[in-house]
Amino acid sequence: MNDLERYFNNNAGRPIQKWQHYFDIYDRHFSRFRGSEVHVVEIGVCGGGSLQMWKDYFGRDAKIYGVDINPNCKKLEEESIETLIGDQENREFLESLTVEIPRIDILIDDGGHTMEQQINTFEVLFPHIDKNGIYLCEDLHTSYWKRFGGGYHKAGTFVEYSKEFIDRINGWHSHRVTEFTESVDSLHYYDSVLVIEKKPREKPTKARVA
Ligand SMILES: C[S@@+](CC[C@H](N)C(=O)[O-])C[C@H]1O[C@@H](n2cnc3c(N)ncnc32)[C@H](O)[C@@H]1O
Protein backbone atom coordinates (compact mmCIF):
# COMPACT_ATOMS: atom_id res chain seq x y z
CA MET A 1 0.00 0.00 0.00
CA ASN A 2 1.43 3.42 -0.88
CA ASP A 3 1.32 6.54 1.30
CA LEU A 4 -1.65 8.05 -0.56
CA GLU A 5 -3.78 4.99 -0.08
CA ARG A 6 -2.72 4.81 3.55
CA TYR A 7 -3.65 8.47 4.04
CA PHE A 8 -7.03 7.89 2.39
CA ASN A 9 -7.75 4.83 4.55
CA ASN A 10 -6.89 6.67 7.76
CA ASN A 11 -8.55 9.94 6.80
CA ALA A 12 -11.14 11.09 9.32
CA GLY A 13 -11.07 14.69 8.15
CA ARG A 14 -12.37 16.37 5.03
CA PRO A 15 -13.88 14.00 2.47
CA ILE A 16 -11.82 12.69 -0.45
CA GLN A 17 -13.43 11.25 -3.58
CA LYS A 18 -11.12 8.97 -5.52
CA TRP A 19 -11.35 5.61 -7.26
CA GLN A 20 -9.31 2.90 -5.58
CA HIS A 21 -6.93 2.22 -8.46
CA TYR A 22 -5.97 5.90 -8.83
CA PHE A 23 -3.60 5.79 -5.83
CA ASP A 24 -1.10 3.57 -7.63
CA ILE A 25 -1.26 5.78 -10.72
CA TYR A 26 -0.62 8.93 -8.69
CA ASP A 27 2.26 7.39 -6.80
CA ARG A 28 3.87 6.01 -9.95
CA HIS A 29 3.96 9.42 -11.63
CA PHE A 30 4.09 11.87 -8.71
CA SER A 31 6.59 10.30 -6.29
CA ARG A 32 9.62 11.98 -7.92
CA PHE A 33 8.22 15.38 -6.83
CA ARG A 34 7.89 14.52 -3.13
CA GLY A 35 9.85 16.78 -0.80
CA SER A 36 10.39 19.38 -3.51
CA GLU A 37 8.93 22.84 -4.05
CA VAL A 38 6.31 21.37 -6.35
CA HIS A 39 3.31 23.40 -7.52
CA VAL A 40 0.23 21.18 -7.77
CA VAL A 41 -3.10 22.29 -9.22
CA GLU A 42 -6.21 20.21 -8.73
CA ILE A 43 -9.35 21.24 -10.58
CA GLY A 44 -12.31 20.05 -8.50
CA VAL A 45 -12.08 20.66 -4.77
CA CYS A 46 -15.41 19.42 -3.40
CA GLY A 47 -14.89 18.83 0.36
CA GLY A 48 -11.20 19.74 0.19
CA GLY A 49 -9.84 16.43 1.48
CA SER A 50 -7.77 15.70 -1.61
CA LEU A 51 -5.97 19.05 -1.31
CA GLN A 52 -4.92 18.10 2.22
CA MET A 53 -3.89 14.67 0.96
CA TRP A 54 -1.60 16.28 -1.65
CA LYS A 55 -0.14 18.60 1.01
CA ASP A 56 0.67 15.63 3.22
CA TYR A 57 2.08 13.59 0.33
CA PHE A 58 4.27 16.23 -1.31
CA GLY A 59 5.53 17.78 1.91
CA ARG A 60 5.93 21.18 3.47
CA ASP A 61 7.63 22.84 0.48
CA ALA A 62 4.76 22.04 -1.86
CA LYS A 63 2.18 24.60 -2.89
CA ILE A 64 -1.29 23.22 -3.53
CA TYR A 65 -3.88 25.10 -5.59
CA GLY A 66 -7.50 23.98 -5.77
CA VAL A 67 -9.83 25.29 -8.47
CA ASP A 68 -13.60 25.00 -8.22
CA ILE A 69 -16.78 26.65 -9.46
CA ASN A 70 -18.24 26.57 -5.95
CA PRO A 71 -17.36 29.77 -4.02
CA ASN A 72 -17.64 27.88 -0.71
CA CYS A 73 -14.34 26.21 -1.57
CA LYS A 74 -12.62 29.47 -0.68
CA LYS A 75 -13.23 28.57 2.99
CA LEU A 76 -11.02 25.50 2.61
CA GLU A 77 -7.84 27.53 2.29
CA GLU A 78 -5.07 26.97 4.83
CA GLU A 79 -1.28 27.17 4.94
CA SER A 80 0.11 25.92 1.59
CA ILE A 81 -3.39 25.50 0.14
CA GLU A 82 -4.97 28.20 -1.97
CA THR A 83 -8.30 27.93 -3.80
CA LEU A 84 -9.32 29.81 -6.92
CA ILE A 85 -12.96 30.11 -7.88
CA GLY A 86 -14.27 29.89 -11.44
CA ASP A 87 -15.65 27.73 -14.24
CA GLN A 88 -13.16 25.42 -15.94
CA GLU A 89 -15.24 25.50 -19.11
CA ASN A 90 -14.51 29.22 -19.43
CA ARG A 91 -11.27 29.78 -21.35
CA GLU A 92 -10.83 33.32 -20.01
CA PHE A 93 -10.98 32.02 -16.46
CA LEU A 94 -8.48 29.30 -17.33
CA GLU A 95 -6.16 31.93 -18.86
CA SER A 96 -6.41 33.94 -15.65
CA LEU A 97 -5.12 30.93 -13.71
CA THR A 98 -1.89 31.06 -15.68
CA VAL A 99 -1.34 34.57 -14.37
CA GLU A 100 -2.30 33.80 -10.76
CA ILE A 101 -0.39 30.54 -10.45
CA PRO A 102 3.33 31.14 -11.03
CA ARG A 103 4.21 27.62 -12.15
CA ILE A 104 2.34 24.35 -12.67
CA ASP A 105 4.34 21.16 -12.20
CA ILE A 106 1.36 18.85 -11.83
CA LEU A 107 -2.20 19.43 -12.98
CA ILE A 108 -4.99 17.05 -11.97
CA ASP A 109 -8.31 17.59 -13.73
CA ASP A 110 -10.96 16.23 -11.36
CA GLY A 111 -13.58 18.90 -11.97
CA GLY A 112 -16.94 18.65 -13.69
CA HIS A 113 -15.80 15.93 -16.14
CA THR A 114 -17.84 17.09 -19.15
CA MET A 115 -16.18 16.96 -22.56
CA GLU A 116 -16.03 20.75 -23.00
CA GLN A 117 -14.54 21.20 -19.54
CA GLN A 118 -11.86 18.57 -20.07
CA ILE A 119 -10.95 19.75 -23.57
CA ASN A 120 -10.94 23.47 -22.76
CA THR A 121 -8.87 22.86 -19.65
CA PHE A 122 -6.35 20.80 -21.61
CA GLU A 123 -6.11 23.29 -24.48
CA VAL A 124 -5.57 26.32 -22.26
CA LEU A 125 -3.50 24.88 -19.42
CA PHE A 126 -1.40 22.16 -21.02
CA PRO A 127 1.01 24.65 -22.67
CA HIS A 128 1.60 26.17 -19.22
CA ILE A 129 2.64 22.94 -17.53
CA ASP A 130 6.33 23.02 -16.64
CA LYS A 131 8.61 21.43 -19.24
CA ASN A 132 9.20 18.47 -16.91
CA GLY A 133 5.72 18.44 -15.48
CA ILE A 134 2.66 16.23 -15.60
CA TYR A 135 -0.90 16.65 -16.85
CA LEU A 136 -3.37 14.13 -15.45
CA CYS A 137 -7.01 14.00 -16.48
CA GLU A 138 -9.16 11.62 -14.47
CA ASP A 139 -12.62 10.08 -14.62
CA LEU A 140 -12.34 9.61 -18.37
CA HIS A 141 -15.20 7.10 -18.09
CA THR A 142 -17.46 10.13 -18.60
CA SER A 143 -16.34 9.93 -22.26
CA TYR A 144 -18.67 6.93 -22.44
CA TRP A 145 -21.51 8.35 -20.34
CA LYS A 146 -24.34 10.15 -22.10
CA ARG A 147 -25.12 12.59 -19.31
CA PHE A 148 -21.60 14.04 -19.55
CA GLY A 149 -21.72 14.30 -23.34
CA GLY A 150 -20.03 10.94 -23.85
CA GLY A 151 -20.77 7.90 -26.00
CA TYR A 152 -18.80 4.94 -27.35
CA HIS A 153 -16.44 6.22 -30.09
CA LYS A 154 -18.45 9.43 -30.15
CA ALA A 155 -16.67 12.34 -31.84
CA GLY A 156 -15.79 15.14 -29.44
CA THR A 157 -15.34 13.12 -26.29
CA PHE A 158 -12.09 13.65 -24.41
CA VAL A 159 -11.05 10.05 -25.09
CA GLU A 160 -11.59 10.45 -28.84
CA TYR A 161 -9.92 13.87 -28.79
CA SER A 162 -6.89 12.48 -26.96
CA LYS A 163 -6.37 9.60 -29.40
CA GLU A 164 -4.84 12.21 -31.69
CA PHE A 165 -2.06 12.63 -29.11
CA ILE A 166 -0.64 9.30 -30.31
CA ASP A 167 -0.09 10.83 -33.77
CA ARG A 168 1.33 13.99 -32.24
CA ILE A 169 3.90 12.22 -30.07
CA ASN A 170 5.03 10.31 -33.19
CA GLY A 171 5.23 13.49 -35.24
CA TRP A 172 8.91 13.01 -36.14
CA HIS A 173 7.94 9.98 -38.20
CA SER A 174 5.11 11.57 -40.18
CA HIS A 175 6.84 14.94 -40.74
CA ARG A 176 4.24 16.61 -38.55
CA VAL A 177 6.37 17.87 -35.68
CA THR A 178 4.44 20.13 -33.34
CA GLU A 179 5.11 21.68 -29.93
CA PHE A 180 3.43 18.58 -28.50
CA THR A 181 5.93 16.31 -30.30
CA GLU A 182 8.84 18.32 -28.91
CA SER A 183 7.56 18.61 -25.35
CA VAL A 184 5.82 15.33 -24.49
CA ASP A 185 7.84 12.34 -23.38
CA SER A 186 5.07 9.83 -22.80
CA LEU A 187 1.34 9.13 -22.68
CA HIS A 188 -0.02 6.71 -20.10
CA TYR A 189 -3.57 5.44 -20.51
CA TYR A 190 -5.20 3.71 -17.57
CA ASP A 191 -8.78 2.82 -16.83
CA SER A 192 -10.37 6.29 -16.59
CA VAL A 193 -7.07 8.19 -16.38
CA LEU A 194 -4.67 9.74 -18.87
CA VAL A 195 -1.26 10.89 -17.66
CA ILE A 196 0.89 13.01 -19.96
CA GLU A 197 4.52 13.35 -18.93
CA LYS A 198 6.37 16.31 -20.36
CA LYS A 199 10.10 16.40 -21.17
CA PRO A 200 11.90 18.31 -23.91
CA ARG A 201 12.54 15.97 -26.84
CA GLU A 202 14.73 16.16 -29.90
CA LYS A 203 14.42 14.21 -33.11
CA PRO A 204 14.90 10.54 -32.18
CA THR A 205 18.08 8.87 -33.41
CA LYS A 206 19.03 5.24 -33.82
CA ALA A 207 21.32 3.98 -31.08
CA ARG A 208 24.87 3.39 -32.28
CA VAL A 209 27.85 1.94 -30.50
CA ALA A 210 30.12 4.83 -29.50
C1 LIG B 1 -15.41 15.00 -8.07
S1 LIG B 1 -15.50 16.52 -7.19
C2 LIG B 1 -13.81 16.79 -6.78
C3 LIG B 1 -13.30 15.81 -5.80
C4 LIG B 1 -11.95 16.10 -5.20
N1 LIG B 1 -10.94 16.37 -6.19
C5 LIG B 1 -11.52 14.91 -4.37
O1 LIG B 1 -10.68 14.11 -4.86
O2 LIG B 1 -12.00 14.77 -3.25
C6 LIG B 1 -15.81 17.62 -8.50
C7 LIG B 1 -15.76 19.10 -8.15
O3 LIG B 1 -15.73 19.79 -9.40
C8 LIG B 1 -16.43 20.99 -9.27
N2 LIG B 1 -16.87 21.46 -10.59
C9 LIG B 1 -17.94 21.04 -11.29
N3 LIG B 1 -18.05 21.74 -12.43
C10 LIG B 1 -17.01 22.61 -12.45
C11 LIG B 1 -16.59 23.62 -13.36
N4 LIG B 1 -17.25 23.84 -14.49
N5 LIG B 1 -15.49 24.33 -13.06
C12 LIG B 1 -14.81 24.10 -11.92
N6 LIG B 1 -15.17 23.17 -11.00
C13 LIG B 1 -16.25 22.43 -11.26
C14 LIG B 1 -17.58 20.67 -8.32
O4 LIG B 1 -18.04 21.85 -7.68
C15 LIG B 1 -16.95 19.66 -7.39
O5 LIG B 1 -16.50 20.30 -6.21
Side-chain angles (χ1 to χ4, degrees):
M1 185 186 300
N2 67 50
D3 288 344
L4 287 167
E5 195 173 356
R6 197 169 297 111
Y7 181 97
F8 178 85
N9 288 344
N10 295 328
N11 179 39
R14 293 178 181 163
I16 307 171
Q17 294 180 29
K18 295 296 181 197
W19 289 64
Q20 189 68 40
H21 68 284
Y22 289 4
F23 297 114
D24 278 346
I25 300 170
Y26 296 141
D27 194 49
R28 175 176 176 189
H29 294 279
F30 296 169
S31 62
R32 67 181 158 103
F33 295 93
R34 294 184 81 178
S36 73
E37 220 186 280
V38 60
H39 287 223
V40 180
V41 177
E42 182 166 41
I43 306 202
V45 171
C46 224
S50 59
L51 299 182
Q52 291 182 323
M53 177 178 76
W54 300 129
K55 178 175 162 178
D56 180 82
Y57 180 74
F58 288 108
R60 62 175 176 205
D61 293 333
K63 183 85 177 110
I64 314 295
Y65 299 89
V67 177
D68 206 287
I69 200 165
N70 182 349
N72 289 331
C73 293
K74 205 69 196 156
K75 296 182 195 139
L76 301 170
E77 288 190 323
E78 60 182 48
E79 193 185 350
S80 306
I81 296 181
E82 188 178 332
T83 55
L84 301 114
I85 306 302
D87 180 355
Q88 73 171 133
E89 196 166 321
N90 180 328
R91 285 173 176 257
E92 275 175 34
F93 168 68
L94 291 167
E95 286 291 355
S96 76
L97 294 178
T98 68
V99 178
E100 295 199 43
I101 303 174
R103 193 180 80 234
I104 308 178
D105 297 300
I106 296 176
L107 186 135
I108 302 152
D109 182 357
D110 185 23
H113 306 307
T114 68
M115 305 305 109
E116 293 74 16
Q117 289 164 1
Q118 290 173 336
I119 292 171
N120 285 354
T121 302
F122 173 80
E123 289 187 348
V124 177
L125 294 183
F126 183 73
H128 296 279
I129 305 296
D130 182 74
K131 64 182 184 356
N132 292 302
I134 292 183
Y135 191 98
L136 185 153
C137 186
E138 65 190 49
D139 291 4
L140 296 189
H141 39 248
T142 60
S143 277
Y144 304 96
W145 294 355
K146 214 171 168 183
R147 70 177 193 278
F148 287 87
Y152 189 71
H153 282 190
K154 186 181 167 196
T157 67
F158 188 77
V159 164
E160 288 302 309
Y161 171 83
S162 75
K163 286 178 183 173
E164 229 257 312
F165 299 168
I166 299 165
D167 292 327
R168 292 195 210 170
I169 203 172
N170 285 293
W172 297 106
H173 311 288
S174 62
H175 307 289
R176 288 176 177 80
V177 175
T178 62
E179 203 183 321
F180 191 98
T181 320
E182 293 178 306
S183 65
V184 172
D185 187 49
S186 58
L187 303 166
H188 305 255
Y189 282 90
Y190 300 91
D191 178 320
S192 304
V193 178
L194 170 60
V195 182
I196 308 174
E197 295 235 13
K198 275 188 155 181
K199 191 170 92 177
R201 286 182 66 224
E202 293 185 351
K203 188 176 180 180
T205 53
K206 280 192 181 166
R208 294 190 201 288
V209 178

Short mmCIF file of all heavy atoms in Angstrom, two decimals, residues 15-18 42-50 67-70 73 86-89 110-113 117 138-139, ligand 1:
data_model
loop_
_atom_site.label_atom_id
_atom_site.label_comp_id
_atom_site.label_asym_id
_atom_site.label_seq_id
_atom_site.Cartn_x
_atom_site.Cartn_y
_atom_site.Cartn_z
N PRO A 15 -13.67 15.13 3.38
CA PRO A 15 -13.88 14.00 2.47
C PRO A 15 -12.99 14.04 1.22
O PRO A 15 -12.67 15.10 0.69
CB PRO A 15 -15.36 14.13 2.08
CG PRO A 15 -15.74 15.54 2.40
CD PRO A 15 -14.83 16.02 3.49
N ILE A 16 -12.62 12.86 0.77
CA ILE A 16 -11.82 12.69 -0.45
C ILE A 16 -12.61 11.76 -1.36
O ILE A 16 -13.11 10.72 -0.91
CB ILE A 16 -10.45 12.03 -0.16
CG1 ILE A 16 -9.70 12.79 0.94
CG2 ILE A 16 -9.61 11.92 -1.43
CD1 ILE A 16 -8.43 12.07 1.43
N GLN A 17 -12.71 12.13 -2.65
CA GLN A 17 -13.43 11.25 -3.58
C GLN A 17 -12.48 10.76 -4.66
O GLN A 17 -12.15 11.51 -5.57
CB GLN A 17 -14.54 12.05 -4.29
CG GLN A 17 -15.65 12.53 -3.39
CD GLN A 17 -16.68 13.32 -4.19
OE1 GLN A 17 -16.87 13.09 -5.38
NE2 GLN A 17 -17.33 14.26 -3.54
N LYS A 18 -12.02 9.55 -4.50
CA LYS A 18 -11.12 8.97 -5.52
C LYS A 18 -11.53 7.54 -5.81
O LYS A 18 -12.14 6.88 -4.96
CB LYS A 18 -9.66 8.99 -5.00
CG LYS A 18 -9.08 10.39 -4.80
CD LYS A 18 -8.97 11.16 -6.10
CE LYS A 18 -8.38 12.54 -5.91
NZ LYS A 18 -8.62 13.42 -7.07
N GLU A 42 -5.13 21.19 -8.53
CA GLU A 42 -6.21 20.21 -8.73
C GLU A 42 -7.49 20.96 -9.05
O GLU A 42 -7.95 21.81 -8.29
CB GLU A 42 -6.44 19.33 -7.49
CG GLU A 42 -7.54 18.30 -7.77
CD GLU A 42 -7.64 17.17 -6.75
OE1 GLU A 42 -7.50 17.46 -5.55
OE2 GLU A 42 -7.85 16.02 -7.15
N ILE A 43 -8.06 20.66 -10.21
CA ILE A 43 -9.35 21.24 -10.58
C ILE A 43 -10.42 20.31 -10.02
O ILE A 43 -10.41 19.11 -10.31
CB ILE A 43 -9.46 21.39 -12.11
CG1 ILE A 43 -8.26 22.18 -12.59
CG2 ILE A 43 -10.79 22.03 -12.49
CD1 ILE A 43 -8.37 22.87 -13.88
N GLY A 44 -11.31 20.86 -9.20
CA GLY A 44 -12.31 20.05 -8.50
C GLY A 44 -11.88 19.85 -7.06
O GLY A 44 -11.02 19.04 -6.76
N VAL A 45 -12.49 20.66 -6.18
CA VAL A 45 -12.08 20.66 -4.77
C VAL A 45 -13.06 19.87 -3.91
O VAL A 45 -12.66 19.11 -3.03
CB VAL A 45 -11.97 22.12 -4.26
CG1 VAL A 45 -11.75 22.16 -2.75
CG2 VAL A 45 -10.85 22.87 -5.00
N CYS A 46 -14.33 20.09 -4.15
CA CYS A 46 -15.41 19.42 -3.40
C CYS A 46 -15.22 19.67 -1.90
O CYS A 46 -15.20 20.81 -1.46
CB CYS A 46 -15.41 17.94 -3.74
SG CYS A 46 -17.04 17.30 -4.02
N GLY A 47 -15.03 18.63 -1.09
CA GLY A 47 -14.89 18.83 0.36
C GLY A 47 -13.50 19.25 0.78
O GLY A 47 -13.27 19.58 1.94
N GLY A 48 -12.54 19.24 -0.12
CA GLY A 48 -11.20 19.74 0.19
C GLY A 48 -10.23 18.68 0.71
O GLY A 48 -9.06 18.96 0.94
N GLY A 49 -10.71 17.46 0.91
CA GLY A 49 -9.84 16.43 1.48
C GLY A 49 -8.68 16.05 0.59
O GLY A 49 -7.58 15.76 1.07
N SER A 50 -8.88 16.10 -0.73
CA SER A 50 -7.77 15.70 -1.61
C SER A 50 -6.66 16.75 -1.57
O SER A 50 -5.49 16.41 -1.68
CB SER A 50 -8.25 15.45 -3.04
OG SER A 50 -8.84 16.59 -3.59
N VAL A 67 -8.99 24.44 -7.61
CA VAL A 67 -9.83 25.29 -8.47
C VAL A 67 -11.23 24.69 -8.48
O VAL A 67 -11.38 23.49 -8.68
CB VAL A 67 -9.26 25.32 -9.92
CG1 VAL A 67 -10.15 26.15 -10.83
CG2 VAL A 67 -7.83 25.85 -9.93
N ASP A 68 -12.23 25.53 -8.24
CA ASP A 68 -13.60 25.00 -8.22
C ASP A 68 -14.59 26.11 -8.56
O ASP A 68 -14.34 27.28 -8.32
CB ASP A 68 -13.92 24.43 -6.84
CG ASP A 68 -15.00 23.35 -6.90
OD1 ASP A 68 -16.19 23.70 -7.10
OD2 ASP A 68 -14.65 22.16 -6.76
N ILE A 69 -15.73 25.69 -9.10
CA ILE A 69 -16.78 26.65 -9.46
C ILE A 69 -17.57 27.09 -8.22
O ILE A 69 -18.22 28.13 -8.22
CB ILE A 69 -17.72 26.00 -10.52
CG1 ILE A 69 -18.52 27.05 -11.27
CG2 ILE A 69 -18.60 24.93 -9.92
CD1 ILE A 69 -19.18 26.52 -12.55
N ASN A 70 -17.46 26.31 -7.16
CA ASN A 70 -18.24 26.57 -5.95
C ASN A 70 -17.50 27.55 -5.04
O ASN A 70 -16.44 27.21 -4.50
CB ASN A 70 -18.48 25.24 -5.23
CG ASN A 70 -19.33 25.41 -3.98
OD1 ASN A 70 -19.58 26.53 -3.53
ND2 ASN A 70 -19.75 24.29 -3.43
N CYS A 73 -15.66 26.85 -1.65
CA CYS A 73 -14.34 26.21 -1.57
C CYS A 73 -13.26 27.19 -1.08
O CYS A 73 -12.18 26.76 -0.66
CB CYS A 73 -13.94 25.59 -2.91
SG CYS A 73 -15.00 24.20 -3.35
N GLY A 86 -13.87 29.59 -10.07
CA GLY A 86 -14.27 29.89 -11.44
C GLY A 86 -14.68 28.64 -12.17
O GLY A 86 -14.60 27.52 -11.63
N ASP A 87 -15.11 28.82 -13.42
CA ASP A 87 -15.65 27.73 -14.24
C ASP A 87 -14.57 27.22 -15.20
O ASP A 87 -14.11 27.97 -16.08
CB ASP A 87 -16.85 28.30 -15.02
CG ASP A 87 -17.51 27.27 -15.91
OD1 ASP A 87 -17.01 26.13 -16.01
OD2 ASP A 87 -18.54 27.62 -16.52
N GLN A 88 -14.22 25.97 -15.09
CA GLN A 88 -13.16 25.42 -15.94
C GLN A 88 -13.57 25.30 -17.41
O GLN A 88 -12.71 24.98 -18.25
CB GLN A 88 -12.67 24.07 -15.42
CG GLN A 88 -13.64 22.94 -15.65
CD GLN A 88 -13.09 21.55 -15.33
OE1 GLN A 88 -13.76 20.79 -14.67
NE2 GLN A 88 -11.89 21.20 -15.78
N GLU A 89 -14.83 25.53 -17.69
CA GLU A 89 -15.24 25.50 -19.11
C GLU A 89 -14.92 26.84 -19.78
O GLU A 89 -14.85 26.94 -21.00
CB GLU A 89 -16.75 25.22 -19.17
CG GLU A 89 -17.20 24.79 -20.54
CD GLU A 89 -18.60 24.19 -20.52
OE1 GLU A 89 -18.94 23.45 -19.57
OE2 GLU A 89 -19.35 24.48 -21.46
N ASP A 110 -9.92 17.03 -12.03
CA ASP A 110 -10.96 16.23 -11.36
C ASP A 110 -12.16 17.14 -11.10
O ASP A 110 -12.75 17.14 -10.03
CB ASP A 110 -10.42 15.65 -10.04
CG ASP A 110 -11.41 14.71 -9.37
OD1 ASP A 110 -12.29 14.17 -10.06
OD2 ASP A 110 -11.31 14.52 -8.14
N GLY A 111 -12.49 17.92 -12.12
CA GLY A 111 -13.58 18.90 -11.97
C GLY A 111 -14.93 18.34 -12.37
O GLY A 111 -15.36 17.30 -11.87
N GLY A 112 -15.58 19.03 -13.31
CA GLY A 112 -16.94 18.65 -13.69
C GLY A 112 -17.03 17.47 -14.64
O GLY A 112 -18.10 16.89 -14.82
N HIS A 113 -15.91 17.14 -15.30
CA HIS A 113 -15.80 15.93 -16.14
C HIS A 113 -16.65 15.94 -17.41
O HIS A 113 -16.88 14.88 -17.99
CB HIS A 113 -16.12 14.66 -15.34
CG HIS A 113 -15.32 14.50 -14.09
ND1 HIS A 113 -13.95 14.56 -14.08
CD2 HIS A 113 -15.70 14.29 -12.81
CE1 HIS A 113 -13.52 14.39 -12.84
NE2 HIS A 113 -14.56 14.24 -12.05
N GLN A 117 -15.40 20.81 -20.66
CA GLN A 117 -14.54 21.20 -19.54
C GLN A 117 -13.17 20.55 -19.68
O GLN A 117 -12.13 21.21 -19.53
CB GLN A 117 -15.18 20.78 -18.21
CG GLN A 117 -16.40 21.62 -17.86
CD GLN A 117 -17.25 20.97 -16.77
OE1 GLN A 117 -16.93 19.90 -16.27
NE2 GLN A 117 -18.34 21.62 -16.43
N GLU A 138 -8.56 12.84 -15.01
CA GLU A 138 -9.16 11.62 -14.47
C GLU A 138 -10.66 11.55 -14.69
O GLU A 138 -11.29 12.50 -15.12
CB GLU A 138 -8.79 11.45 -12.99
CG GLU A 138 -9.33 12.48 -12.04
CD GLU A 138 -8.70 12.33 -10.65
OE1 GLU A 138 -7.46 12.22 -10.54
OE2 GLU A 138 -9.47 12.33 -9.66
N ASP A 139 -11.19 10.38 -14.40
CA ASP A 139 -12.62 10.08 -14.62
C ASP A 139 -12.98 10.15 -16.10
O ASP A 139 -14.05 10.64 -16.48
CB ASP A 139 -13.52 10.99 -13.77
CG ASP A 139 -13.40 10.67 -12.27
OD1 ASP A 139 -12.58 9.80 -11.91
OD2 ASP A 139 -14.13 11.28 -11.48
C1 LIG B 1 -15.41 15.00 -8.07
S1 LIG B 1 -15.50 16.52 -7.19
C2 LIG B 1 -13.81 16.79 -6.78
C3 LIG B 1 -13.30 15.81 -5.80
C4 LIG B 1 -11.95 16.10 -5.20
N1 LIG B 1 -10.94 16.37 -6.19
C5 LIG B 1 -11.52 14.91 -4.37
O1 LIG B 1 -10.68 14.11 -4.86
O2 LIG B 1 -12.00 14.77 -3.25
C6 LIG B 1 -15.81 17.62 -8.50
C7 LIG B 1 -15.76 19.10 -8.15
O3 LIG B 1 -15.73 19.79 -9.40
C8 LIG B 1 -16.43 20.99 -9.27
N2 LIG B 1 -16.87 21.46 -10.59
C9 LIG B 1 -17.94 21.04 -11.29
N3 LIG B 1 -18.05 21.74 -12.43
C10 LIG B 1 -17.01 22.61 -12.45
C11 LIG B 1 -16.59 23.62 -13.36
N4 LIG B 1 -17.25 23.84 -14.49
N5 LIG B 1 -15.49 24.33 -13.06
C12 LIG B 1 -14.81 24.10 -11.92
N6 LIG B 1 -15.17 23.17 -11.00
C13 LIG B 1 -16.25 22.43 -11.26
C14 LIG B 1 -17.58 20.67 -8.32
O4 LIG B 1 -18.04 21.85 -7.68
C15 LIG B 1 -16.95 19.66 -7.39
O5 LIG B 1 -16.50 20.30 -6.21
#
